[in-house]
Structures are given as C-alpha cells and as structure tokens.
Amino acid sequence: MNIRIGLGFDSHVFEEGKPLYIGGLRIEYPKGLKGHSDGDVLLHAITDAILGALGEPDIGQLFSDRDPRWRGASSEIFLKEALYRLKKRGYKVVNLDCTLVLDEPKIAPYKEAILENLSKLMDVSKDSISIKGKRREGFCMEEGVACFCVILIAHES
Ligand code: MG
C-alpha cells in the first residue's frame, strides 16, 4: 500500500476584537487569532500536514501573506486547495490527529462541533479524526494558540 505521512504546525497570537475561528467553527471569545487570513490555526496546520504528506509546496508558498487576495480570507479556501491536490494525486485520508495548545478558550465544549465541521469539510468520517486540547504550560511566550497535526494518507489504487 502506498501510504504517506504529513506533519503540520501553526501558531497565532490573539488579537482583540477579531472573530475567533478554530477548525472552521466560530467560537464566542473576545479575541481572535492575528493573521493575514481569518487566522484559523487548526485549518492552517491541517492544510500544511496534507501538503507535506504530498510533498507539495507549503501553505505559505501557495497563499502568500503578502497577497491581498487572502486578506481576511476564510482558511477553508486553503484546506480545499490541499484536498483538491490530494484527490488529484489519487490519495485519501486514512486518519488525522491534531493537538491544539492553548489556555483559553477551553476546547472541550467545542470538540464535537469542530469534529463535525472538519468531517464535513474534509469528507472524512469523524472516527478518523482526533482533536485534543492541551494547556500551554509555559509553551509560547505570547498568548495565543498553537496546533500540531499528523495525517496519514493512502493511495486509492
Ligand atoms: Mg497560520
């Protein structure tokens, strides 16, 4: 079986008054994630994990933060492009494991909704996706959210 593995990492600091998106889900919180796009740290890490598994250019190469087209853009656009490349190359997702590193907001109450949303966005069953929340415990100097993802993909043939 032709299988490949990909690692994605991303981090964003908080910005007052910006809407917070994690995994494509709008989360009620007074701060959002600073960034050129909507700052969705989970979708960015997943996008890079897929692109990395494929050996394709990374998210920053495909969607430059100097390109005005991506200012305030929904990060679903980036994920969709990575999934398009995955399908075009004849691969499917076997499983995806993600760890969000953050103190606030607590992820547990949103976990199920994030899973639902990712499952729909990626056309992957919920039991093939794992989302975990971990407190920072001193990791990252500034307040924000970091995310690590590992993905396994297999060729459909
Ligand atoms: Mg990012």
Side-chain angles (χ1 to χ4, degrees):
M1 185 168 51
N2 186 355
I3 57 171
R4 300 174 70 110
I5 193 163
L7 170 69
F9 170 77
D10 195 33
S11 62
H12 287 260
V13 295
F14 283 122
E15 182 180 306
E16 290 284 345
K18 195 179 172 184
L20 177 63
Y21 287 95
I22 295 182
L25 191 78
R26 172 81 163 88
I27 291 177
E28 278 313 315
Y29 195 63
K31 294 176 254 185
L33 293 170
K34 192 174 177 173
H36 189 65
S37 65
D38 63 8
D40 193 323
V41 68
L42 178 54
L43 294 193
H44 293 180
I46 296 171
T47 300
D48 248 354
I50 296 169
L51 293 170
L54 292 168
E56 299 262 343
D58 67 33
I59 190 170
Q61 289 173 289
L62 294 179
F63 304 100
S64 166
D65 60 7
R66 271 162 280 169
D67 189 332
R69 273 182 301 171
W70 316 123
R71 185 181 299 279
S74 163
S75 298
E76 292 182 14
I77 296 168
F78 312 150
L79 179 63
K80 291 254 159 78
E81 175 62 26
L83 290 167
Y84 168 75
R85 287 170 186 246
L86 179 91
K87 274 211 175 119
K88 200 172 80 174
R89 294 267 301 272
Y91 283 89
K92 64 172 184 181
V93 174
V94 178
N95 77 302
L96 167 69
D97 184 17
C98 309
T99 299
L100 285 158
V101 187
L102 74 175
D103 292 342
E104 293 287 338
K106 296 279 172 271
I107 263 333
Y110 302 101
K111 211 167 169 176
E112 192 53 35
I114 292 173
L115 273 178
E116 285 278 352
N117 206 46
L118 283 181
S119 171
K120 266 188 230 144
L121 274 176
M122 299 180 69
D123 195 21
V124 171
S125 71
K126 273 199 296 180
D127 59 9
S128 299
I129 306 173
S130 151
I131 306 286
K132 305 177 294 301
K134 290 282 283 182
R135 278 201 298 273
R136 292 185 304 145
E137 305 285 1
F139 175 73
C140 294
M141 297 298 284
E142 263 188 276
E143 263 191 55
V145 185
C147 184
F148 298 87
C149 294
V150 178
I151 198 163
L152 187 69
I153 61 172
H155 204 265
E156 306 242 40
S157 62

